[in-house]
Amino acid sequence: MILTDTQHALRETAAAFAAEHLEPNALRWDQTKHFPVDVLRKAAQLGMGGICVAEDVGGSGLGRLDSAVIFEALATGCPSIAAYLSIHNMVTSMIDRYGDAAQRARFVPALCSMEHLASYCLTEPGAGSDAAALSTRARREGASYILDGVKQFISGAGAADIYVVLARTGGPGPKGISAFVVDRATPGLSFGPNETKMGWNAQPTRQVILDGARIPADRRLGPEGGGFAVAMSALDGGRLNISACSLGGAQAALGKAVRHLLEREAFGAKLADAQALRFRLADMRTGLEAARTLLWRAAAALDAGERDATPLCAMAKRFVTDTGFEVANQALQLHGGYGYLSEYGLEKIVRDLRVHQILEGTNEIMRVIVSRSMLAAAQ
Ligand SMILES: Cc1cc2nc3c(=O)[nH]c(=O)nc-3n(C[C@H](O)[C@H](O)[C@H](O)COP(=O)(O)OP(=O)(O)OC[C@H]3O[C@@H](n4cnc5c(N)ncnc54)[C@H](O)[C@@H]3O)c2cc1C
């Protein structure tokens, strides 16, 4: 697939932003657990707060392939910040796409400018992969809904202003779930402590606790019982963006490995002279090119509304995040002991990329989605 001139320009803009604002600070943010909201707002000034969002509410009106190109470039500077931005974009797109006119006008412009940040609240302590088993309840009372429950592992929580919360308004299973836009100022909304994590340290992860949180009934996103479909369709694009973040992180790690092999000497020669290591580089590059090709294919399928878009997004998420992690880990190995030291930047990339194999649906669940679609098509 050949990128257009516009897509090349988007990539260059995002790469320049990553080089100037993300890469020089990424290690410090990781070590100090700093969430750089000011830098996110700078990215929003370039249109990255609402990449696939319609222009009438402040979005950039771009497609999924454009978005994949942007997130890959951003993640070369810091996968953790790029990944939070991808979650923010997912939530903003959900409100743009499924919100009514009043909700779009009220919430989306401030999300596109990142004056407001967003969080996506699906997972619960008792419902992760089996998200349709969630137990947070939303009870209708007159012109309000009252929400009770706990959301687990919520990216951006505490710092975000807008929470899209999936909660049960009906019976068991996916058809009993609705989506709601919850403001941080809502009485009854609180947060757990910032989790101590392996990676993604430059963004907070907390529980979101809803204890009698009363919201106006007009904050429901889409029809009652339609929330699970909204949440799942948003994840198609979210999975592409997270994959792009793996690709960008791995590409940066590979670049470091190439430079290291050219500089480092052992046994009287450059490491780059060892054919076994050259072949390793070749395989790493080939893996990333294959991953990028599948990612772009899935993004183009989502842009075109192909029937197979959801399983293609799942295939891309599984393959790209596995390949990205493997390549980053190999790049660390090629640095020997230096790869294990923070200052070389490799171990942070490996730690950041590891979680991409787990969230937005684990890579096992991606296989569930792909195989289910294959078997359904054959029946
Ligand atoms: C840093 C971080 C940030 C996150 N951010 C968010 C967020 O912003 N919003 C949000 O809603 N969630 C978020 N999550 C949650 C994430 O999406 C879940 O952790 C993930 O979906 C897995 O759920 P679980 O942790 O409950 O694992 P479980 O569902 O308990 O799974 C445990 C293991 O069993 C496997 N497994 C489960 N069912 C099957 C099956 N049927 N077939 C094969 N294998 C299976 C899984 O693949 C996994 O390996 C985040 C998680 C982390 C770690």
Side-chain angles (χ1 to χ4, degrees):
M1 197 172 291
I2 307 294
L3 295 185
T4 63
D5 288 347
T6 308
Q7 286 161 342
H8 279 293
L10 290 170
R11 176 152 73 183
E12 276 161 31
T13 302
F17 183 85
E20 183 179 351
H21 297 289
L22 302 183
E23 203 275 333
N25 303 306
L27 210 50
R28 182 170 48 84
W29 293 337
D30 176 72
Q31 286 165 351
T32 57
K33 295 189 168 40
H34 176 68
F35 186 45
V37 174
D38 55 333
V39 174
L40 287 166
R41 291 194 176 127
K42 279 200 181 98
Q45 284 167 11
L46 298 173
M48 295 176 195
I51 295 170
C52 298
V53 170
E55 286 166 297
D56 66 316
V57 279
S60 298
L62 296 172
R64 292 291 162 190
L65 181 53
D66 305 319
S67 183
V69 168
I70 290 170
F71 279 106
E72 179 184 344
L74 286 177
T76 59
C78 178
S80 169
I81 292 306
Y84 170 73
L85 195 58
S86 96
I87 293 170
H88 172 89
N89 267 271
M90 178 169 74
V91 175
T92 307
S93 289
M94 277 170 97
I95 303 177
D96 174 41
R97 184 160 166 205
Y98 296 103
D100 59 28
Q103 290 169 332
R104 292 179 74 244
R106 182 185 181 113
F107 296 112
V108 180
L111 291 169
C112 289
S113 67
M114 297 193 83
E115 184 193 330
H116 289 164
L117 306 188
S119 286
Y120 174 85
C121 307
L122 175 65
T123 306
E124 298 183 357
S129 297
D130 186 9
L134 63 82
S135 65
T136 293
R137 288 221 65 99
R139 184 166 44 86
R140 181 85 191 233
E141 203 180 272
S144 308
Y145 280 98
I146 299 170
L147 274 64
D148 286 286
V150 176
K151 295 293 176 178
Q152 180 77 8
F153 296 126
I154 303 307
S155 302
D161 307 270
I162 297 294
Y163 297 80
V164 168
V165 175
L166 282 302
R168 193 164 297 287
T169 46
K175 298 231 162 68
I177 294 171
S178 304
F180 298 92
V181 182
V182 181
D183 212 283
R184 180 173 44 183
T186 307
L189 178 74
S190 64
F191 308 101
N194 191 7
E195 304 285 359
T196 302
K197 308 190 289 284
M198 174 180 179
W200 270 31
N201 288 319
Q203 54 160 311
T205 308
R206 299 174 194 266
Q207 281 191 338
V208 171
I209 301 153
L210 299 138
D211 183 10
R214 181 186 289 270
I215 56 168
D218 66 8
R219 299 294 163 85
R220 197 187 65 232
L221 199 56
E224 207 167 269
F228 197 70
V230 167
M232 291 303 114
S233 88
L235 280 173
D236 283 343
R239 286 169 184 154
L240 296 178
N241 290 342
I242 282 292
S243 305
C245 292
S246 285
L247 203 50
Q251 191 65 55
L254 178 56
K256 286 175 189 285
V258 171
R259 288 191 294 277
H260 187 74
L261 295 199
L262 285 169
E263 284 163 13
R264 180 84 174 156
E265 292 186 6
F267 301 102
K270 302 260 186 236
L271 288 181
D273 293 333
Q275 194 180 48
L277 302 187
R278 287 177 173 230
F279 279 21
R280 184 101 58 93
L281 289 182
D283 287 347
M284 291 159 77
R285 167 97 202 266
T286 306
L288 291 188
E289 287 292 347
R292 186 177 294 108
T293 301
L294 179 56
L295 174 62
W296 289 2
R297 160 82 179 98
L302 195 55
D303 276 335
E306 280 184 32
R307 282 185 54 186
D308 232 14
T310 293
L312 275 165
C313 291
M315 285 179 230
K317 199 272 183 182
R318 204 285 293 162
F319 186 76
V320 181
T321 60
D322 281 353
T323 305
F325 178 78
E326 187 50 38
V327 167
N329 201 29
Q330 290 282 344
L332 186 155
Q333 184 71 18
L334 289 174
H335 280 73
Y338 299 96
Y340 203 67
L341 302 184
S342 305
E343 67 179 281
Y344 285 76
L346 273 305
E347 58 85 40
K348 177 195 179 288
I349 296 174
V350 172
R351 288 188 287 107
D352 282 346
L353 264 46
R354 182 63 182 84
V355 78
H356 300 186
Q357 296 170 292
I358 296 171
L359 47 67
E360 303 214 348
T362 66
N363 284 3
E364 289 77 17
I365 294 304
M366 296 307 101
R367 292 178 173 95
V368 170
I369 293 169
V370 175
S371 57
R372 190 197 291 141
S373 77
M374 293 164 68
L375 297 170
Q379 273 168 6

